[in-house]
Amino acid sequence: MKSKCLIKLMAGLVTTICLSAPICASASTVATPNVEPIAATDTVTNQIVKFDSINLRTVAYIHDGNNYWHSPYAVDEYNAYILVDNKSYDKTIVLHYIDADGVWKDSDKATYVKTRSDGKELWTIHGYFNGKAVFSVNYKEANAWDNNNGVNYTV
């Protein structure tokens, strides 16, 4: 008799915890970013750092108490590609961004991919945006920025 009561109590407790916790669902949708990659005719020879492209993939949505998805609060995984001049051996290249939390911050450091035939280096940054994001690229050692001619990039 005690074990039946204990099982019912545990089942009720688990149900209560599960229903009161926020629910996150993974999604496999791929978002199309609102950024323009460098055109084939565009030269970047006079620019020390240049944003090249970004790949986004929505990995989760935040739900409210009624289990409605709020797409502005989606979590997007990104891979950004940056072109830089080789101005120093040790490079710190980051995305300086603001997303749904309203605070400007820096991404993790970029990692080297390859050197192109024109001498530019291709670097990549992997990370996550919480909702819509605005960003620029910073190559710290060269004190160089790419902020899309003063209007920043938006995804």
Side-chain angles (χ1 to χ4, degrees):
M1 188 60 133
K2 286 183 182 180
S3 63
K4 277 188 170 181
C5 289
L6 185 59
I7 291 172
K8 285 183 181 181
L9 179 64
M10 292 300 290
L13 182 61
V14 168
T15 303
T16 303
I17 291 170
C18 290
L19 291 176
S20 65
I23 301 169
C24 294
S26 62
S28 60
T29 59
V30 176
T32 304
N34 183 22
V35 292
E36 295 294 324
I38 297 174
T41 59
D42 189 6
T43 63
V44 293
T45 55
N46 61 348
Q47 205 167 348
I48 295 172
V49 60
K50 178 69 180 155
F51 170 74
D52 184 53
S53 62
I54 192 166
N55 297 326
L56 287 176
R57 184 173 71 94
T58 301
V59 294
Y61 291 99
I62 296 174
H63 295 71
D64 64 12
N66 295 322
N67 207 23
Y68 290 113
W69 286 14
H70 293 282
S71 59
Y73 302 106
V75 176
D76 295 313
E77 179 180 31
Y78 68 84
N79 283 311
Y81 297 93
I82 315 298
L83 294 171
V84 300
D85 284 348
N86 188 2
K87 295 290 186 185
S88 68
Y89 175 75
D90 188 26
K91 295 177 182 64
T92 305
I93 303 160
V94 296
L95 293 184
H96 186 67
Y97 70 95
I98 186 171
D99 57 14
D101 68 4
V103 177
W104 283 96
K105 53 195 157 283
D106 285 344
S107 68
D108 290 337
K109 288 174 56 172
T111 55
Y112 174 80
V113 177
K114 67 178 182 177
T115 301
R116 299 185 337 167
S117 60
D118 64 359
K120 293 279 188 182
E121 293 181 348
L122 181 64
W123 290 69
T124 186
I125 302 172
H126 177 264
Y128 298 90
F129 292 136
N130 295 320
K132 295 178 182 177
V134 175
F135 68 91
S136 59
V137 181
N138 182 229
Y139 177 2
K140 294 187 183 238
E141 286 75 16
N143 194 25
W145 290 83
D146 178 9
N147 63 1
N148 196 18
N149 297 316
V151 295
N152 293 325
Y153 294 96
T154 304
V155 291

